[in-house]
């Protein structure tokens, strides 16, 4: 079998071979090539020791931050390639980091430590595909299967449990039975895995084309990573709006939403506070205030997982307003754009659409056009260049101070003027705004 490697990776492999070492592209990059995808990054496995790799490529062309794991990053034309000496890992007393990394003599031993058969494949031009664990057949059949005994492999490194679910979601593969059982049974070990790694894997899982199915099937794994979601499981809503329980609705909403990590995480967390806010009146279930309770929990979850602060703020804002009704007028739309910013407002429309779709009742589905109506108004506001922010208002705090405004009165008056411009009661015209402000000066 012939695969076309990235020119840089090929150069690194050939250079090492010329010096008498073995070298292969290995892991995810080979998997992606076999799937006909362009790999994001290339890993190279070699028989050369790190010092030898450095000597071959020259100290000035390498970064050595991964040295204690046997990794040298070779930089070719500005692009980094991780070159790692064949190694095995032994003794995982903390379920997350090998106690020691041992260099080994062969590629075969190196492949054995890899997580799944589809990731335990290697390639170079000379020897072609090296597939000792049936990775190619699992790729063709769409199967995620641990290399060796899944119980052992998940006990060594609990992150692999979440990676199994992640690859299933991203590739649309099923997880082989024993591997799936081990993942569910050992899921609680995820509590020992670093928060950053959990966040990164969950983010990739949520982006996957089969995220909904994976969230439903591997709920135990998901709840081990985010225990706060547990109470949503099979929580009946008793609402004419909702066809599904809170967790199934959540899983479906993740699948429906268009956008990136912010929108995906928003859907995962948007109703997380519902179980805390449940009440029943005249036989109908209600969740008053769940948006704010969900935002509060979302904030705590994202903080624990060490999500970047700016990212977390966007998600928390979207969760807190996800169910806010917005009238179909440009004033109402501009008011929301002013409150959360135009880009987040655009995300909010995607969130609302996904929420409606995932409610799944005729009543909710009849509302899915609302996001489109709001989007039309939003686009018209942008096209016309309407003012909806203090920054765009043709009068500034300094102008009000010159008129005699003091302290917090200045800010209040600016907001009042903006509100009148948004309402259409005043044009965004400097003279008119000054005249209006003058009438109200104390
Ligand atoms: P992605 O497409 O997201 O980069 P990937 O499979 O390449 O997926 P990486 O984290 O880049 O994931 O890892 C590269 C390779 O290293 C994997 O394909 C696998 O062979 C091995 N690997 C990564 N993490 C683990 C792990 N926790 N346990 C065992 N092997 C792993
Ligand atoms: Mg990779």
């Amino acid at each position: 079998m012939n695969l076309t490697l990235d020119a840089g990776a090929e150069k690194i492999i050939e250079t090492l071979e010329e010096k008498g070492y073995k070298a292969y592209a290995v892991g995810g990059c080979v998997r992606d090539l076999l799937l006909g995808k362009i790999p994001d990054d290339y890993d190279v496995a070699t028989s050369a020791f790190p010092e030898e790799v450095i000597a071959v490529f020259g100290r000035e062309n390498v970064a050595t931050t991964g040295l204690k794991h046997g990794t040298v990053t070779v930089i070719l034309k500005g692009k980094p390639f991780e070159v790692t000496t064949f190694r095995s890992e032994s003794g995982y007393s903390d379920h997350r980091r090998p106690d020691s990394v041992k260099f080994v003599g062969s590629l075969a031993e190196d492949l054995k430590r890899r997580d799944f058969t589809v990731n335990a494949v290697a390639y170079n031009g000379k020897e072609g595909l090296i597939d000792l664990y049936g990775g190619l057949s699992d790729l063709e059949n769409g199967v995620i299967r641990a290399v060796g005994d899944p119980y052992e492999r998940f006990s060594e490194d609990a992150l692999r449990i979440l990676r199994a679910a992640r690859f299933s979601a991203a590739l649309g593969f099923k997880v082989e039975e024993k591997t799936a059982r081990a993942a569910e049974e050992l899921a609680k070990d995820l509590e020992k895995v670093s928060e950053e790694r959990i966040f990164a894997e969950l983010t990739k899982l949520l982006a996957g084309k089969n995220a909904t199915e994976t969230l439903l099937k591997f709920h135990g794994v998901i709840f081990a990573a985010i225990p706060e979601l547990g109470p949503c499981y099979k929580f009946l809503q008793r609402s004419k709006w909702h066809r599904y329980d809170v967790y199934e609705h959540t899983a479906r909403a993740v699948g429906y939403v268009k956008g990136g990590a912010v929108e995906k995480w928003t859907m995962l967390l948007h109703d997380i506070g519902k179980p805390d806010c449940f009440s029943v009146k005249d036989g109908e279930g209600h969740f008053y205030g769940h948006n704010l309770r969900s935002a509060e929990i979302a904030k705590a979850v994202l903080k624990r997982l060490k999500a970047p602060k700016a990212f977390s703020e966007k998600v928390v804002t979207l969760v807190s307003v996800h169910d806010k009704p917005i009238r179909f007028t440009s004033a109402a739309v501009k008011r929301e754009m002013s409150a959360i910013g135009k880009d987040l407002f655009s995300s909010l429309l995607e969130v609302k659409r996904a929420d409606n779709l995932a409610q799944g009742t005729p009543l909710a589905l009849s509302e899915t056009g609302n996001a489109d109506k709001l989007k039309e108004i939003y686009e018209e506001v942008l096209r016309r260049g309407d003012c909806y922010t203090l920054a765009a208002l043709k009068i500034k705090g300094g102008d009000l101070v010159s008129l005699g405004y003091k302290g917090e009165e200045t800010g209040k008056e600016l907001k009042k003027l903006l509100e009148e411009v948004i309402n259409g009661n005043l044009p965004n015209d400097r003279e008119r705004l000054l005249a209006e402000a003058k009438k109200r000066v104390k």
Side-chain angles (χ1 to χ4, degrees), residues 172-325:
F173 285 16
K174 56 185 174 296
V175 180
E176 174 272 327
E177 208 176 306
K178 191 172 173 196
T179 302
R181 213 176 326 120
E184 277 153 29
E185 285 174 23
L186 299 176
K188 64 167 182 356
D189 288 343
L190 273 171
E191 67 187 31
K192 296 161 192 153
V193 174
S194 86
E195 291 81 5
E196 292 93 334
R197 295 175 81 196
I198 291 195
F199 179 71
E201 288 299 333
L202 278 175
T203 300
K204 289 183 182 178
L205 188 160
L206 296 175
K209 59 182 179 203
N210 274 23
T212 299
E213 293 78 354
T214 303
L215 289 170
L216 292 173
K217 177 154 184 8
F218 291 97
H219 58 268
V221 172
I222 302 302
F223 302 156
I226 307 181
E228 293 89 339
L229 271 172
C232 298
Y233 191 63
K234 297 206 189 290
F235 194 101
L236 300 180
Q237 314 213 43
R238 297 175 64 177
S239 159
K240 60 178 183 284
W241 288 92
H242 279 276
R243 174 159 168 205
Y244 306 108
D245 64 69
V246 177
Y247 185 67
E248 183 165 357
H249 163 70
T250 295
R252 287 172 180 271
V254 167
Y256 282 124
V257 79
K258 292 199 197 105
V262 165
E263 291 78 10
K264 295 287 178 186
W265 272 96
T266 298
M267 294 335 287
L268 185 72
L269 301 173
H270 79 289
D271 278 351
I272 198 168
K274 268 193 165 178
D276 291 346
C277 303
F278 186 58
S279 64
V280 181
K281 198 177 169 216
D282 303 329
E284 179 77 5
H286 298 281
F287 298 92
Y288 298 116
H290 80 275
N291 56 321
L292 295 181
R293 179 68 187 133
S294 297
E296 200 171 39
I297 300 174
K299 192 172 177 181
V301 167
L302 291 170
K303 186 167 183 200
R304 185 180 67 240
L305 296 179
K306 303 200 167 76
K309 204 157 173 236
F311 177 90
S312 167
E313 277 167 8
K314 286 183 195 168
V315 172
V316 171
T317 299
L318 286 173
V319 170
S320 71
V321 297
H322 76 267
D323 63 340
K324 187 173 179 184

Side-chain angles (χ1 to χ4, degrees), residues 53 57 121 310 380 415:
V53 176
F57 294 99
V121 282
E380 213 174 272
K415 281 201 193 121

Side-chain angles (χ1 to χ4, degrees), residues 71-199:
T71 301
V72 173
T73 306
V74 177
I75 296 154
L76 268 192
K77 294 190 180 156
K79 207 172 150 186
F81 297 88
E82 294 206 339
V83 180
T84 305
T85 307
F86 296 152
R87 56 171 230 212
S88 70
E89 292 155 7
S90 55
Y92 289 79
S93 41
D94 63 356
H95 303 264
R96 55 196 272 190
R97 253 177 277 109
D99 297 335
S100 65
V101 169
K102 196 170 92 212
F103 293 134
V104 294
S106 70
L107 174 70
E109 283 175 271
D110 182 277
L111 293 179
K112 202 169 156 186
R113 71 163 170 99
R114 294 178 184 270
D115 47 8
F116 305 109
T117 59
V118 296
N119 289 339
V121 282
Y123 179 87
N124 70 21
K126 250 178 154 167
E127 295 174 54
L129 183 71
I130 314 247
D131 175 24
L132 305 176
Y133 296 98
L136 184 59
S137 123
D138 280 344
L139 268 180
E140 282 166 354
N141 295 317
V143 178
I144 299 299
R145 182 195 313 269
V147 173
D149 177 14
Y151 286 88
E152 249 172 59
R153 308 313 311 287
F154 292 161
S155 301
E156 289 166 0
D157 177 2
L159 184 70
R160 291 170 187 160
I161 295 166
L162 195 51
R163 280 173 63 87
R166 185 263 272 200
F167 286 116
S168 175
L171 301 174
F173 285 16
K174 56 185 174 296
V175 180
E176 174 272 327
E177 208 176 306
K178 191 172 173 196
T179 302
R181 213 176 326 120
E184 277 153 29
E185 285 174 23
L186 299 176
K188 64 167 182 356
D189 288 343
L190 273 171
E191 67 187 31
K192 296 161 192 153
V193 174
S194 86
E195 291 81 5
E196 292 93 334
R197 295 175 81 196
I198 291 195
F199 179 71

